Amino acid sequence: ILSLAALLKAKMGEVRRVVKMQPVTDHTGLVELWNFDEHQASQSKVPIRDLATTPPPPKDGGRWMHVYGSDKLALQKIAALYGIQDDDVEGAINPAEQGPEVSFVQGERDEEDYLMIIAHELRLTRSEDNAKYISPREYHAGPRSMMSVRGGADASQQLQLEEVQLSFFLFPERRLLITLGTNSEDSPILQVARKNLKNKRSKLRRDCR
């Protein structure tokens, strides 16, 4: 709710809006790979060069792989393997200032059809220190706790809405989801995804039946 409120304020010019791409980290050359079905879910780190020889996902399950950061070289190698178009590679590693996008691409074969989604992870930060995240508790704690944020300067100079771009490539026939964006293993989005994969009672796992 806090991020949505900040987004509305950003649209009105009250909060500075910044679209950011995540830099490549030490994970370059590796992808986080999950195979899952109704009965189990397994996680591994796989070199991109080995993806071509990786066994297919479970028959009644699926596969998710995540590329850490805006790694163009890694995505190009994956694109060559799965048939992602060059324009979509560029779109995934360059900031989409206009906001979220959704497009369907029809390949030469059914297994090459994919849905591309560009979304933004919202983070409310202080302009003078982008690494400092303002939690909802701090934001709503009262005027005194926000004096250091608001006092003595315009709101647009004190707060900014940082939008970290996330790209999704969904291949229905391959039962494969490829994501690219956040470069932190501790990202809240990745943590939620892992939690759902590990939970046998999650809708994701139950849909494998």
Side-chain angles (χ1 to χ4, degrees), residues 22-100:
Q22 294 282 272
V24 177
T25 67
D26 293 338
H27 299 288
T28 303
L30 293 175
V31 296
E32 181 173 343
L33 185 70
W34 283 81
N35 289 314
F36 61 91
D37 59 17
E38 178 188 0
H39 304 289
Q40 62 180 358
S42 61
Q43 177 191 23
S44 60
K45 295 286 181 66
V46 179
I48 294 175
R49 63 178 180 273
D50 294 340
L51 288 177
T53 57
T54 301
K59 181 179 179 181
D60 295 322
R63 170 173 291 168
W64 167 47
M65 66 174 70
H66 179 72
V67 179
Y68 292 97
S70 302
D71 194 333
K72 183 176 181 179
L73 181 60
L75 186 56
Q76 285 176 329
K77 293 178 179 178
I78 292 174
L81 185 60
Y82 294 108
I84 299 174
Q85 296 185 3
D86 292 342
D87 289 346
D88 291 335
V89 172
E90 293 298 325
I93 56 94
N94 290 301
E97 295 286 349
Q98 65 272 28

Side-chain angles (χ1 to χ4, degrees), residues 12-188:
M12 295 185 292
E14 295 182 19
V15 176
R16 182 185 175 202
R17 174 175 174 262
V18 179
V19 179
K20 298 186 70 176
M21 307 300 293
Q22 294 282 272
V24 177
T25 67
D26 293 338
H27 299 288
T28 303
L30 293 175
V31 296
E32 181 173 343
L33 185 70
W34 283 81
N35 289 314
F36 61 91
D37 59 17
E38 178 188 0
H39 304 289
Q40 62 180 358
S42 61
Q43 177 191 23
S44 60
K45 295 286 181 66
V46 179
I48 294 175
R49 63 178 180 273
D50 294 340
L51 288 177
T53 57
T54 301
K59 181 179 179 181
D60 295 322
R63 170 173 291 168
W64 167 47
M65 66 174 70
H66 179 72
V67 179
Y68 292 97
S70 302
D71 194 333
K72 183 176 181 179
L73 181 60
L75 186 56
Q76 285 176 329
K77 293 178 179 178
I78 292 174
L81 185 60
Y82 294 108
I84 299 174
Q85 296 185 3
D86 292 342
D87 289 346
D88 291 335
V89 172
E90 293 298 325
I93 56 94
N94 290 301
E97 295 286 349
Q98 65 272 28
E101 300 178 17
V102 179
S103 60
F104 174 75
V105 178
Q106 187 172 26
E108 296 182 358
R109 299 174 296 174
D110 289 346
E111 58 264 32
E112 293 180 352
D113 293 348
Y114 63 88
L115 187 68
M116 178 183 177
I117 302 172
I118 293 180
H120 290 161
E121 177 186 357
L122 304 181
R123 301 175 181 175
L124 189 59
T125 62
R126 292 192 176 96
S127 298
E128 69 273 17
D129 182 9
N130 291 348
K132 169 61 177 174
Y133 173 74
I134 300 174
S135 69
R137 176 176 295 182
E138 178 184 4
Y139 189 84
H140 292 293
R144 182 177 298 276
S145 66
M146 293 301 294
M147 287 180 61
S148 62
V149 178
R150 295 182 181 274
D154 184 81
S156 62
Q157 296 175 335
Q158 292 290 339
L159 298 178
Q160 70 177 20
L161 185 67
E162 182 179 297
E163 302 180 34
V164 177
Q165 183 162 307
L166 304 172
S167 300
F168 303 76
F169 297 91
L170 176 63
F171 292 82
E173 292 297 322
R174 286 191 165 118
R175 309 185 306 284
L176 169 67
L177 174 65
I178 301 169
T179 59
L180 175 139
T182 182
N183 61 7
S184 171
E185 290 192 42
D186 298 325
S187 162

